[in-house]
Amino acid sequence: MNNVYQDGKGFAKSYILSYTEMTDQESSFPEESFKELGEKGFLKLLVPEEYGGYGKGLVEHAEACLAFAETCATTALCYMMHNVALMCVLTHGSAELKKRIFEDVVENGKFLALGYSEIGTGTHFYKPEITAEVKGEYTTFNGTKSMVTSASYASYYLVLAPSVEEGKINNWVIPLEEDGLTFASSDWQGLGMRGNSSCPMHINDVTLHSSNRIGEEGSGEEQVFNVVAPFFILGLGAIYSGIAVHLFDIVSHHAVDRKYPDGRSLSNIETVQVHIGQIYKQASVAKAMTLDAAQAGANGDADALAKILAARINASEAAIDCGTLAMRVGGGKAYNKALPIERLLRDAYAGQVMAPSTDVLNVWLGKALTGQMIP
Ligand SMILES: Cc1cc2nc3c(=O)[nH]c(=O)nc-3n(C[C@H](O)[C@H](O)[C@H](O)COP(=O)(O)OP(=O)(O)OC[C@H]3O[C@@H](n4cnc5c(N)ncnc54)[C@H](O)[C@@H]3O)c2cc1C
């Protein structure tokens, strides 16, 4: 895989596009696309070469998420979560855990998900309230994770739980087939991202051996802020940039194609031209900021964190702004769903509430820019 963005665009055209509408209308998880993501190597993008993967990093993660989101935000979001979870295993997992999970990804096309948020702590997902009772080498978990994207479809769920060390947390891997793990699938009624299956996951007396813990006892918070945060926050930046780019694509074509009886098109109207220019500017800035932040993160630049936070905040806002303007340009055809603009706007609304929400991130950005501790 040499040019991940271009390869991702080609993949999306061949294996995502035809399911996109059904994914939204029937709220169905994009299973066929995920089968192909495994077959064509995208699930192993970040898996190290020594385990049979491509060994790529933050830049390629952003490029793949962006490319997929320019066609289907749901598929891109589910894929993004997989990459983030994989990175935790890669950076902190034991040799045995890496071998087990990477082999399953590379050879069997299995994928991962993040079961972090809870009803109580909400957007502050790094403060888990589920219980973890330790007996020797085994820990028994009880509680509920509130919104788990790819729920029941992913084969491994990363779960944050309290550590035995006061005030610390652990990051665990729960395999799908574990006794006591159930999903409330019908509870996912998302405004957008409808194929995500982001439903509650109930954990009832799930007992795991310590080999399922990622990293040293109490290392969960370090993983959240050093691994999950950059890959997740940047990944969301890529997804909402992709939605904005997709909106420009739809609206610019529609403006040219929609003809009035006198032969003039929508694109001949000056106000429409201004709106299209505005959508183009915002989408282009969102994409450029995301790719620039990815490069800064990969280089380890001093301002990488600020760039990643800013890119994600900007992209989430740009997607909603572009969607709102695109609805206006699309007119009755957009309102009556003859154009997919309303779907993209519904998808875009997830951006501002996904943890850490844009309100929280705006505070974090100010802290990052003034050298203060986050959170
Ligand atoms: C499409 C989608 C997919 C998701 N997938 C997953 C997943 O795979 N895994 C997972 O773990 N979670 C997932 N989530 C959950 C998500 O990440 C959040 O945890 C969840 O949306 C928080 O909801 P809440 O109502 O509890 O938010 P609350 O915590 O009640 O916050 C509501 C709002 O209050 C404001 N707010 C709260 N605290 C602050 C603060 N300190 N400063 C400023 N403003 C603040 C913000 O505006 C925030 O949006 C998903 C959510 C969505 C929408």
Side-chain angles (χ1 to χ4, degrees):
M1 220 173 280
N2 294 325
N3 186 330
V4 172
Y5 177 72
Q6 286 307 334
D7 290 350
K9 290 288 285 179
F11 177 89
K13 197 170 166 202
S14 303
Y15 304 108
I16 297 179
L17 184 60
S18 54
Y19 304 109
T20 301
E21 215 169 294
M22 186 178 80
T23 294
D24 178 67
Q25 281 175 6
E26 297 177 13
S27 229
S28 56
F29 185 81
E31 273 187 276
E32 293 301 324
S33 301
F34 263 78
K35 213 176 285 166
E36 294 294 339
L37 281 167
E39 304 247 317
K40 302 292 182 287
F42 281 98
L43 292 180
K44 59 178 183 179
L45 187 73
L46 306 183
V47 172
E49 286 173 313
E50 71 213 76
Y51 293 94
Y54 288 109
K56 303 290 186 188
L58 198 61
V59 172
E60 293 83 2
H61 165 63
E63 288 176 345
C65 294
L66 182 66
F68 299 157
E70 288 178 14
T71 294
C72 176
T74 274
T75 306
L77 190 55
C78 299
Y79 174 76
M80 195 277 286
M81 304 279 187
H82 160 75
N83 275 353
V84 174
L86 210 59
M87 281 312 293
C88 291
V89 177
L90 170 61
T91 56
H92 286 76
S94 65
E96 184 266 324
L97 197 61
K98 282 188 211 177
K99 186 173 181 311
R100 177 155 52 110
I101 292 180
F102 293 164
E103 262 181 23
D104 222 4
V105 171
V106 171
E107 286 169 21
N108 307 318
K110 301 294 184 191
F111 55 96
L112 287 69
L114 300 171
Y116 285 172
S117 301
E118 297 181 15
I119 291 163
T121 53
T123 200
H124 314 281
F125 66 88
Y126 39 85
K127 297 174 181 169
E129 293 186 311
I130 66 165
T131 61
E133 198 185 327
V134 183
K135 276 197 189 131
E137 279 301 296
Y138 290 87
T139 303
T140 300
F141 301 88
N142 277 287
T144 294
K145 295 293 178 178
S146 56
M147 295 169 96
V148 182
T149 290
S150 308
S152 83
Y153 295 94
S155 297
Y156 299 97
Y157 298 84
L158 265 56
V159 163
L160 293 174
S163 156
V164 287
E165 293 178 23
E166 186 67 26
K168 293 194 172 178
I169 57 173
N170 285 317
N171 200 11
W172 290 84
V173 181
I174 307 185
L176 172 65
E177 66 276 6
E178 209 61 46
D179 282 345
L181 197 67
T182 55
F183 302 91
S185 300
S186 59
D187 284 7
W188 175 238
Q189 301 289 338
L191 174 70
M193 302 288 188
R194 290 179 53 76
N196 278 34
S197 179
S198 304
C199 68
M201 180 171 87
H202 300 303
I203 304 166
N204 291 319
D205 285 333
V206 170
T207 300
L208 298 176
H209 186 261
S210 58
S211 58
N212 281 51
R213 191 184 64 228
I214 305 175
E216 296 299 313
E217 179 69 45
S219 68
E221 189 165 306
E222 174 197 318
Q223 292 176 50
V224 165
F225 288 100
N226 294 342
V227 185
V228 174
F231 277 81
F232 188 77
I233 295 172
L234 183 73
L236 289 180
I239 284 161
Y240 294 99
S241 300
I243 293 179
V245 170
H246 194 179
L247 281 160
F248 167 72
D249 194 42
I250 293 167
V251 108
S252 54
H253 283 100
H254 174 67
V256 172
D257 295 343
R258 193 263 189 265
K259 297 273 194 291
Y260 284 101
D262 65 0
R264 279 164 56 84
S265 73
L266 207 52
S267 63
N268 295 134
I269 298 167
E270 198 171 85
T271 304
V272 171
Q273 293 162 1
V274 171
H275 289 334
I276 289 173
Q278 178 65 16
I279 293 170
Y280 176 77
K281 277 187 292 180
Q282 284 196 258
S284 303
V285 168
K287 185 171 173 172
M289 281 180 76
T290 298
L291 294 174
D292 179 54
Q295 199 56 63
N299 296 345
D301 292 351
D303 59 354
L305 175 62
K307 282 188 169 179
I308 289 171
L309 296 173
R312 142 81 160 115
I313 296 164
N314 177 71
S316 305
E317 291 170 352
I320 294 173
D321 290 351
C322 292
T324 306
L325 215 45
M327 284 296 289
R328 225 144 96 186
V329 175
K333 292 169 186 66
Y335 195 80
N336 204 25
K337 304 188 183 182
L339 296 166
I341 296 171
E342 63 81 37
R343 163 164 59 81
L344 270 67
L345 181 56
R346 286 189 282 107
D347 288 346
Y349 271 115
Q352 59 184 4
V353 299
M354 289 195 71
S357 68
T358 47
D359 285 335
V360 171
L361 288 175
N362 272 312
V363 177
W364 287 12
L365 177 59
K367 285 180 192 276
L369 293 169
T370 54
Q372 296 178 61
M373 283 283 287
I374 295 174

